[in-house]
Amino acid sequence: MRRTTLKDLAEMLQISTSTVSRALKNHPDISNAVKTKVKEAAETFNYVPNDFAVNFRKKSSKVIGLIVPEITMFFIPSIINGISSVLNKEGYHFFILSSNDSFDTEKEHLETCINSRVDGILISLTNETKDSEHLKKLKEMEIPAIIFDKTVPKSIFESVIFDNVKNAELCADKLINHGCKNILGIFGDENLEITQSRLVSFETRIKQFPGIILNIIYCQSADLVKEKLDILLNDDSIDGFFAMSDETLMGLHSSLIKRSLNNTNKKVVSISEGTLPKYLDETYEYQINDGYEMGTIAAKKLMDNIKTLYTDNFIDSNKCYYL
Amino acid sequence: MRRTTLKDLAEMLQISTSTVSRALKNHPDISNAVKTKVKEAAETFNYVPNDFAVNFRKKSSKVIGLIVPEITMFFIPSIINGISSVLNKEGYHFFILSSNDSFDTEKEHLETCINSRVDGILISLTNETKDSEHLKKLKEMEIPAIIFDKTVPKSIFESVIFDNVKNAELCADKLINHGCKNILGIFGDENLEITQSRLVSFETRIKQFPGIILNIIYCQSADLVKEKLDILLNDDSIDGFFAMSDETLMGLHSSLIKRSLNNTNKKVVSISEGTLPKYLDETYEYQINDGYEMGTIAAKKLMDNIKTLYTDNFIDSNKCYYL
DNA sequence: TTGAAAGCGCTACCAA
DNA sequence: TTGGTAGCGCTTTCAA
């Protein structure tokens, strides 16, 4: 279907394209008479500016690339909300690209962003990423970038990160103030910088109080938290828990609930969107409405539609697929 | 910074742009000699095709619009993963647009997608959306679309939804098989179709067993689940729980953990990315690393960078901001 | 096997 | 206040 263009409007109104263009953007040079005339025509003929042409001409895409190491339930929703709230106001949009914690994928995504001429990049680095060498190209290309959350020492771009030291210390203080004497600190992957900085700061603070016993466990995943805790919780003398992140907290949760339910023989059954189950345990039974599966199916159907659009046998259906 | 173009390569090699273009995409007409020559030049001069021009020419953006009613921790991560897994393979990207459960915003996003000439749309409708009238324009414009999860009766596009009836029934069966006699069903917003269909199906199944007592509560939010449960859980005779979604389950969780911790006087303190706290209760103390805040700050910094890029006082800094 | 050239739709410069 | 027009970088048709 051919869409109305500036030229179409110009011909219809017997004026030049430049006049139409300017009228549409309220250029002060244009008389009100012409402006209203043009706008009416644009309205009635359903004129929509072609962003391709505009971008091409202006060399600006109004698109930002968001590259993250992984798509988790803890961080992604809030970060997306935060970013949207700022960008949408300014007329920008953003792609989400997940590196799946692979440095190579991260590099690929960076290329993709460069190729599609994004106006800027927001990036959180993978654990495999050791320096910001691969970001140098962005500097050359003059593509602004901001690193957030996961960064590297002496990065070449501005970055926004959490103050792990301060926060871990504050947490330690809370437990201390509650008078906890036997504390369990639940930490994530031992090899990550983020774990180390939180650990050191938490431990240092606690150690200032000789009367307090501190036990530390490292868990690469929420699953491991559960496993280790199922044993540790038998020690009923633990009176304070510190979870270094939402993920470790979910592991702790799971164990606590399991114990409380096992004592009572109560059953919980749930319909789940597919996100919680991997963080909870077999105490629960789920009927899973898997968002991942829905996403793949919907996307596949869409791809099919797009492909057949260019052939003669375009399927115009309104079928409903049940999962 | 001016980037290398096809024309640049053509001039350097003293051949035509069409030959360069064809050589780069391995067109059979072009001799191998020329192909290698061109490719080498492209490599050394860091040639990157200008997607703006390509899109413009081809009238295809390789971009999909994803419109969702809200960005939640339960559904968004899994749906994004699912969609990415399919689209990225095909060289497509997608924008995420959140309607914030407003029909008007949904319509705006639809306009945005049309204007930016997306190749297709994946959309989950808001609760305010009562029919698919506003989607008709997509048909006119020949923009393929797939509706997922939240849809409306007799929609004009294909849709992918969960089988609520089946899943709620299966959940009922599980509790029945466990021999539960006093069941609490925790449902979400009473006015939503999704709640009603799960409720009817669950209730119908349970009612087939006259010996079972079924209590139903509706909770518009996880907060309300907690509130109501804090009272209900005093009734220790409840031996089976059904949570109709991850969100209601989180509410149940929260109450269960609260009870189990209150009995023991144990304390939990956690550093959180900002997503869990709204689903848990005051039993926990958080030091919040707020992803939302990080997102807004990072995005704002990026906008600043982009804007100053076009002025003379471009800030080339690598400052680090701590939250 | 290669080249010339038109043209996608828009913006912006220069001229009137 | 308006019009003419060049040109963004690429693809593709037609001609050589």
Side-chain angles (χ1 to χ4, degrees), chain A residues 174-175 177-180 182-184 238-242 252, chain B residues 261-262 264-270 282-285:
Chain A
K174 290 188 184 189
L175 290 173
N177 291 339
H178 279 303
C180 297
N182 190 2
I183 294 172
L184 178 63
I238 293 173
D239 57 5
F241 297 90
F242 169 60
L252 172 58
Chain B
L261 287 179
N262 276 353
T264 59
N265 202 28
K266 295 181 196 298
K267 291 291 169 193
V268 179
V269 167
S270 170
E282 66 286 355
T283 311
Y284 290 84
E285 287 173 70

Side-chain angles (χ1 to χ4, degrees), chain A residues 35-103:
Chain A
K35 273 184 194 166
T36 45
K37 200 173 62 175
V38 169
K39 283 178 184 169
E40 270 171 19
E43 181 74 19
T44 52
F45 292 97
N46 227 324
Y47 170 74
V48 176
N50 184 337
D51 274 7
F52 290 167
V54 176
N55 287 343
F56 178 39
R57 184 58 229 245
K58 296 231 201 118
K59 294 172 183 341
S60 147
S61 58
K62 294 273 180 184
V63 169
I64 301 296
L66 171 63
I67 304 175
V68 292
E70 50 171 352
I71 310 276
T72 69
M73 69 183 290
F74 305 112
F75 200 49
I76 293 301
S78 48
I79 201 96
I80 291 180
N81 275 320
I83 293 172
S84 302
S85 76
V86 174
L87 295 193
N88 291 353
K89 236 181 295 175
E90 310 246 5
Y92 279 78
H93 298 296
F94 60 99
F95 297 136
I96 298 195
L97 298 166
S98 166
S99 313
N100 297 315
D101 250 320
S102 144
F103 178 59

Side-chain angles (χ1 to χ4, degrees), chain A residues 307-323:
Chain A
K307 277 166 194 163
T308 58
L309 192 59
Y310 303 113
T311 68
D312 2 45
N313 50 348
F314 176 57
I315 315 152
D316 185 8
S317 100
N318 56 0
K319 243 180 289 177
C320 186
Y321 305 90
Y322 291 92
L323 291 191

Side-chain angles (χ1 to χ4, degrees), chain B residues 6 18 21 47 57:
Chain B
L6 269 190
S18 27
S21 170
Y47 169 74
R57 184 58 228 246

Side-chain angles (χ1 to χ4, degrees), chain B residues 5-171:
Chain B
T5 69
L6 269 190
K7 203 171 148 201
D8 295 337
L9 293 179
E11 275 167 13
M12 284 164 17
L13 299 171
Q14 297 284 26
I15 54 179
S16 74
T17 57
S18 27
T19 306
V20 176
S21 170
R22 280 179 287 219
L24 252 16
K25 15 189 79 57
N26 271 319
H27 195 288
D29 278 0
I30 305 295
S31 67
N32 281 327
V34 176
K35 272 183 195 166
T36 45
K37 199 173 63 176
V38 170
K39 283 178 185 169
E40 270 171 19
E43 181 75 19
T44 52
F45 292 97
N46 227 325
Y47 169 74
V48 175
N50 184 337
D51 274 5
F52 289 168
V54 176
N55 287 343
F56 178 39
R57 184 58 228 246
K58 296 230 202 121
K59 298 173 181 338
S60 148
S61 58
K62 293 273 178 186
V63 169
I64 301 296
L66 171 63
I67 304 175
V68 292
E70 50 171 352
I71 310 277
T72 69
M73 70 183 292
F74 304 112
F75 200 50
I76 294 302
S78 48
I79 201 96
I80 291 180
N81 275 321
I83 293 171
S84 303
S85 75
V86 173
L87 295 193
N88 291 354
K89 237 181 294 173
E90 310 247 4
Y92 279 78
H93 299 298
F94 60 99
F95 297 138
I96 299 196
L97 298 167
S98 166
S99 313
N100 297 314
D101 250 320
S102 143
F103 178 59
D104 289 336
T105 310
E106 182 174 288
K107 278 197 292 191
E108 273 170 37
H109 287 336
L110 244 10
E111 280 299 320
T112 306
C113 286
I114 292 172
N115 291 359
S116 50
R117 301 292 208 270
V118 297
D119 282 356
I121 290 178
L122 290 167
I123 186 170
S124 184
L125 304 169
T126 73
N127 293 324
E128 291 184 9
T129 308
K130 296 308 170 206
D131 57 51
S132 53
E133 272 303 302
H134 59 312
L135 300 179
K136 275 199 177 145
K137 202 165 173 186
L138 298 179
K139 285 271 189 222
E140 286 167 27
M141 297 261 173
E142 292 188 357
I143 299 175
I146 303 284
I147 305 178
F148 66 93
D149 198 35
K150 305 261 186 73
T151 182
V152 288
K154 49 189 173 54
S155 103
I156 56 175
F157 285 100
E158 281 183 280
S159 48
V160 185
I161 61 173
F162 294 125
D163 191 338
N164 289 319
V165 173
K166 186 193 74 188
N167 287 332
E169 239 173 55
L170 288 171
C171 283

Side-chain angles (χ1 to χ4, degrees), chain A residues 93-186:
Chain A
H93 298 296
F94 60 99
F95 297 136
I96 298 195
L97 298 166
S98 166
S99 313
N100 297 315
D101 250 320
S102 144
F103 178 59
D104 289 336
T105 310
E106 182 174 288
K107 278 198 293 191
E108 273 169 38
H109 286 336
L110 244 10
E111 280 299 321
T112 306
C113 285
I114 293 172
N115 291 359
S116 50
R117 301 291 208 271
V118 296
D119 282 355
I121 290 179
L122 290 168
I123 186 170
S124 183
L125 304 170
T126 73
N127 293 324
E128 290 184 11
T129 307
K130 296 308 170 208
D131 56 50
S132 53
E133 272 303 301
H134 59 310
L135 299 180
K136 273 197 178 148
K137 202 165 174 187
L138 298 179
K139 284 271 190 224
E140 286 167 26
M141 298 261 172
E142 293 188 357
I143 299 176
I146 303 284
I147 306 179
F148 67 93
D149 198 37
K150 305 262 186 72
T151 181
V152 289
K154 50 191 174 47
S155 102
I156 56 174
F157 285 100
E158 282 183 280
S159 49
V160 185
I161 60 173
F162 293 124
D163 191 337
N164 289 319
V165 173
K166 186 193 74 187
N167 287 332
E169 240 173 57
L170 288 171
C171 283
D173 284 340
K174 290 188 184 189
L175 290 173
I176 293 164
N177 291 339
H178 279 303
C180 297
K181 294 295 175 208
N182 190 2
I183 294 172
L184 178 63
I186 307 166

